[in-house]
Amino acid sequence: MILCSCNVLSDREIQSALASGGRRSVGGLFRSLGCEAKCGRCARSIAAAIEGCSNAADACSDACQSCSAEERAAA
């Protein structure tokens, strides 16, 4: 599902960026993907994706590959 129409970013691309150590803010995530927010309509959706990934990291075990080792260790 496309979360950012301006940059054509899908939820999977965002989750992948977060899993590989992408920054935990909307602006930081855009920067880590080499783009920037344009119209801003996606900010809430991307913030929700970041929050969802953070919540998932809290529930992760060592078998989970969705989050980086640092995220699992911090959980």
Side-chain angles (χ1 to χ4, degrees), residues 32-71:
S32 73
L33 291 169
C35 56
E36 62 184 31
K38 295 182 180 170
C39 74
R41 287 185 297 177
C42 62
R44 282 187 177 183
S45 298
I46 291 177
I50 292 169
E51 179 66 24
C53 186
S54 295
N55 290 341
D58 291 343
C60 283
S61 66
D62 289 339
C64 175
Q65 297 302 313
S66 297
C67 302
S68 68
E70 293 88 18
E71 290 170 324

Side-chain angles (χ1 to χ4, degrees), residues 6-26:
C6 298
N7 291 295
V8 194
L9 295 176
S10 71
D11 56 340
R12 290 182 184 203
E13 288 173 293
I14 290 169
Q15 290 171 355
S16 176
L18 291 169
S20 63
R23 297 183 183 172
R24 299 276 174 192
S25 68
V26 174

